[in-house]
Amino acid sequence: MLKRSFFSSLIILYFAFVLAPLFLMLLGSFGEKWFGTLLPTGFTLDWYSQLFGKAMYVRAMLMSLWVAALTVLFNALVSIPAVYAIHVSGSRKLRTVFDFCMLLPIAIPPVVMGLGLIQAFNWSGFSLVGRWQLLLGAHVVYTLPFMMRPLMSNIEMIRWSLLEEACLSLGVSFGTMVRRVLVPNLLPGLLSGALMTFAMSLGEFQLAVMVTGSATQTFPVVLYQAFYVNTGFACAATTLLVLVSLMALTGIVLFGRSFSSSISDINL
Amino acid sequence: MMGPERSVGVALEGIGKRYGSAWAVRDISLSVGAGEFLSIVGPSGCGKTTLLRLVAGFVRPDEGTVRLGEQPVNDVPVRERRVGLVFQNYALFPNMTLYENVAFGLKAQNRSATEVRRRTSDLLEMVGMADRAQSYPRQLSGGQQQRIALARALAVEPRVLLLDEPLSALDAKVRNSLRFEIKRIQRDSGITMIYVTHDQEEALSISDRVALMRKGALEQVGTPIELYSDPCSLFAADFIGVSNLLKGESDGEGGFLWKGHRFILETPVERGPASLMIRPERLFLAPEGVAGANVIEALVQGRVFLGPITRFSCNVEGEPLLLDLLNVAGAGLKVGERVRLHFEPSDSCVLQDLKETVPEGVN
């Protein structure tokens, strides 16, 4: 009994630790003033109207969504052929290289990568630093393993090489095979990879703060700058960011469920 | 509506395939007639699957020629060979309904919509799965999935159908019924089938001819009856069915010497060490008082009940001998009983390859 209550209080503590900051942010986003008091005082919707009213913030939000969406797209375009090639080749060597590459973004801190990018793409007369394309490239490289990994386990789980042999023996062309068999059967891996990389790109701060310029700032960068100037506004911005992430997550989970139920609709 | 040819024979001419320095199969020459049902059997690692993949086109031979009908196909890619495949693990497309699985190849061939519909329903009907057309593969049992795989492969009217251990993943009962269904489909459609299995009983029961493989080479090719009653080697005798192999010596004058006995052979064989093979069901209890050349005294040591028959293990001067008796009233022996066994010269067979190592499991 004692043991049980000990563990449940641990769980409660854990959730308090995770959720309390979010709750405070939500509270702060509606507070007029939050200075020197435990909780904010007053009630206002001003911060939210600023959030949507000021072109700079809207632009940062759109920039974040744009980069995140393109990150997912490029990840998919690179990962599907790569995973397919590694699987079909059946080469143990390639697989080892793959496993090694999957560890790189964990081993190399983003700050190192950011500095490297600035060094590499900043020439006199022409510089990529400050452009969103550079941030996109950085995000694709940074998040690629998180798209590749679920796709790799997906393609292994469905035993793709057998399905490919079946297609070949039926005389199905390569294009039809990719469109009608490969991609549909990789959707679960693609979805979980997309969710992961979208969320990572949306919230990524270290690379963004280093390689974006004033015209291409993403939302986390703006949020960070606002925090020192205006707490209430920063709270509203955070709340919005969390909300967008949650929406993306729910959407993908719902889509994933309707997809998987169409293939797993068990009524034996 | 048909392709140019319905079903063609397959010819392998001096086929060899090497992986690194090791030959997976070597010096294989074999021809399969149009409409024939040929099984390839052998222990695992004997190269039977490699042979099937050579015919399918997934593997390219290092030596020799593969022909479909008259056409050499060494350089023809899988997609253009029009060879159907059925896999051990079904390999149905999980994202498609059963109907879509069967229709997929037809659509890829750009057949007209009415023809796709008609042929797909016909095939689902043929394998007895018409009522499940809208189900997905994962909702089916293994046996049902394999039926769909069969329908999918046959839908596109292949010239030859290759089956790679199609029943190995199924339980015994389903395996038995599906085996005869495959045979029926083969007979009805007249398609050439090459069927790979490690189960010799399966091969014997459904094939027109059986090719026995060993270590990448063909050991013996023949009808099931030929392989069973007239094996060409100790290996063949051991792999196909159950056999008693008595290691002895031929005296060159129509006799076989074993443990002081001299058995009469049907036809004399060359003098020298040899083995005499007798199937356990070809041994009989000798009637009282009969004394003949082919009579062996034995002691019953154990019995295994196998349904229609009981298999007795007898001991002859330290050598085990198996005897099958039908379970009819009054038959049956007690453990510890002394018996006199008898066989007809025509029911035995002398095998002279004693030089080779006796494969595992030889009595």
Side-chain angles (χ1 to χ4, degrees):
Chain A
M1 198 60 203
L2 203 69
K3 210 166 151 189
R4 199 164 152 191
S5 58
F6 171 70
F7 280 116
S8 29
S9 41
L10 263 189
I11 291 168
I12 291 166
L13 264 176
Y14 172 78
F15 277 105
F17 190 74
V18 172
L19 294 177
L22 284 179
F23 180 72
L24 284 179
M25 286 290 153
L26 186 65
L27 217 61
S29 70
F30 293 109
E32 222 169 320
K33 248 180 27 192
W34 194 1
F35 187 76
T37 51
L38 181 65
L39 291 173
T41 51
F43 177 83
T44 178
L45 291 173
D46 220 30
W47 310 126
Y48 284 100
S49 69
Q50 272 193 37
L51 201 55
F52 292 106
K54 283 202 180 170
M56 185 181 126
Y57 302 136
V58 174
R59 201 176 54 209
M61 190 74 224
L62 289 179
M63 180 57 72
S64 278
L65 288 171
W66 170 245
V67 170
L70 285 181
T71 298
V72 170
L73 181 72
F74 278 93
N75 268 324
L77 289 179
V78 172
S79 297
I80 293 177
V83 162
Y84 170 83
I86 293 167
H87 181 76
V88 169
S89 79
S91 152
R92 305 243 3 105
K93 241 185 251 160
L94 261 179
R95 187 60 222 257
T96 312
V97 171
F98 172 82
D99 288 339
F100 177 73
C101 290
M102 293 303 92
L103 292 173
L104 277 181
I106 300 162
I108 299 175
V111 65
V112 173
M113 193 174 141
L115 291 173
L117 284 170
I118 293 172
Q119 282 296 322
F121 295 104
N122 196 21
W123 309 294
S124 56
F126 173 74
S127 173
L128 272 178
V129 178
R131 292 170 192 251
W132 62 263
Q133 288 91 340
L134 185 60
L135 180 65
L136 173 63
H139 276 187
V140 169
V141 172
Y142 177 57
T143 61
L144 192 63
F146 297 89
M147 178 65 98
M148 295 263 257
R149 228 194 320 232
L151 280 173
M152 196 48 136
S153 41
N154 193 159
I155 204 167
E156 281 166 0
M157 200 190 70
I158 60 172
R159 291 164 164 252
W160 171 257
S161 38
L162 275 181
L163 296 184
E164 173 151 342
E165 288 184 358
C167 285
L168 287 173
S169 74
L170 291 173
V172 174
S173 71
F174 185 79
T176 308
M177 177 180 84
V178 169
R179 228 174 37 248
R180 295 283 328 274
V181 189
L182 181 65
V183 171
N185 284 305
L186 286 185
L187 272 187
L190 202 58
L191 280 172
S192 78
L195 161 67
M196 192 69 189
T197 52
F198 186 81
M200 283 177 80
S201 168
L202 201 64
E204 200 285 322
F205 175 73
Q206 297 184 54
L207 288 167
V209 82
M210 280 189 280
V211 302
T212 56
S214 56
T216 54
Q217 275 178 342
T218 59
F219 205 66
V221 178
V222 166
L223 191 155
Y224 178 72
Q225 287 166 353
F227 193 78
Y228 290 101
V229 184
N230 196 330
T231 318
F233 174 76
C235 288
T238 311
T239 308
L240 181 67
L241 188 63
V242 169
L243 211 65
V244 171
S245 291
L246 278 178
M247 266 158 53
L249 185 121
T250 329
I252 289 170
V253 166
L254 285 179
F255 180 54
R257 188 176 300 158
S258 74
F259 167 76
S260 59
S261 72
S262 75
I263 59 170
S264 70
D265 172 31
I266 313 271
N267 52 359
L268 281 170
Chain B
M1 88 172 232
M2 279 281 320
E5 341 150 58
R6 173 129 207 138
S7 182
V8 301
V10 178
L12 303 175
E13 295 164 0
I15 289 294
K17 172 66 195 174
R18 206 172 34 203
Y19 289 106
S21 61
W23 291 89
V25 294
R26 188 154 201 197
D27 205 18
I28 302 261
S29 291
L30 176 68
S31 73
V32 187
E36 190 180 16
F37 193 126
L38 178 103
S39 289
I40 304 177
V41 294
S44 51
C46 70
K48 53 191 192 296
T49 294
T50 304
L51 207 58
L52 198 77
R53 295 175 69 78
L54 278 157
V55 177
F58 294 125
V59 175
R60 205 177 180 290
D62 294 317
E63 288 177 355
T65 311
V66 180
R67 284 178 197 276
L68 292 180
E70 293 299 305
Q71 180 200 8
V73 291
N74 283 20
D75 299 318
V76 178
V78 183
R79 247 187 217 112
E80 289 155 30
R81 285 200 187 188
R82 297 187 50 227
V83 161
L85 265 169
V86 175
F87 303 87
Q88 181 180 345
N89 300 301
Y90 329 124
L92 295 178
F93 305 123
N95 60 315
M96 299 183 196
T97 63
L98 305 188
Y99 182 92
E100 288 165 340
N101 263 283
V102 177
F104 188 51
L106 290 166
K107 283 181 187 160
Q109 287 185 348
N110 291 320
R111 309 267 189 119
S112 73
T114 33
E115 201 197 325
V116 172
R117 241 193 330 272
R118 193 180 45 74
R119 249 197 99 62
T120 306
S121 335
D122 284 355
L123 278 150
L124 285 169
E125 192 72 48
M126 181 185 78
V127 297
M129 295 293 294
D131 53 331
R132 303 295 302 273
Q134 296 311 317
S135 304
Y136 283 88
R138 66 174 57 180
Q139 297 166 248
L140 303 186
S141 68
Q144 290 171 321
Q145 290 194 50
Q146 201 55 294
R147 284 161 190 270
I148 296 299
L150 209 57
R152 178 181 70 179
L154 288 170
V156 291
E157 288 156 313
R159 298 188 287 178
V160 177
L161 187 65
L162 310 175
L163 303 98
D164 189 5
E165 308 239 4
L167 306 180
S168 301
L170 304 174
D171 60 59
K173 203 146 194 177
V174 180
R175 200 157 60 212
N176 263 313
S177 64
L178 205 50
R179 167 199 297 187
F180 293 107
E181 196 145 350
I182 291 175
K183 178 68 189 171
R184 172 183 66 80
I185 288 167
Q186 190 265 337
R187 212 183 302 115
D188 293 352
S189 61
I191 189 168
T192 313
M193 276 198 193
I194 301 181
Y195 189 103
V196 163
T197 177
H198 63 266
D199 182 344
Q200 48 91 21
E201 191 205 324
E202 194 170 283
L204 294 182
S205 63
I206 50 176
S207 316
D208 296 325
R209 277 194 310 154
V210 177
L212 174 62
M213 282 187 78
R214 177 193 191 191
K215 293 181 184 164
L218 282 176
E219 183 85 357
Q220 188 173 5
V221 182
T223 64
I225 293 171
E226 279 165 7
L227 259 80
Y228 187 79
S229 56
D230 206 7
C232 72
S233 64
L234 277 179
F235 173 79
D238 179 56
F239 193 84
I240 306 286
V242 177
S243 52
N244 292 303
L245 293 167
L246 313 181
K247 275 195 211 179
E249 202 176 324
S250 159
D251 65 5
E253 290 156 16
F256 185 86
L257 308 174
W258 182 72
K259 292 201 180 284
H261 294 85
R262 182 176 185 274
F263 300 131
I264 308 288
L265 300 176
E266 195 181 18
T267 46
V269 291
E270 223 177 289
R271 188 187 174 90
S275 287
L276 188 71
M277 185 207 76
I278 313 161
R279 298 286 182 193
E281 75 279 8
R282 296 301 173 99
L283 278 171
F284 299 97
L285 295 171
E288 279 300 318
V290 173
N294 296 355
V295 171
I296 311 165
E297 299 250 353
L299 176 72
V300 180
Q301 283 197 315
R303 49 186 291 165
V304 184
F305 177 70
L306 296 173
I309 60 165
T310 300
R311 179 159 296 158
F312 296 94
S313 54
C314 305
N315 184 312
V316 184
E317 295 166 43
E319 288 276 327
L321 206 60
L322 297 176
L323 161 73
D324 285 355
L325 291 180
L326 271 176
N327 281 322
V328 291
L333 302 168
K334 286 188 205 65
V335 172
E337 199 173 333
R338 291 214 146 265
V339 289
R340 279 152 48 84
L341 304 175
H342 163 75
F343 65 91
E344 292 295 330
S346 59
D347 284 342
S348 67
C349 162
V350 180
L351 303 166
Q352 281 189 300
D353 48 359
L354 265 184
K355 275 162 283 161
E356 67 181 353
T357 48
V358 177
E360 262 180 275
V362 169
N363 299 310

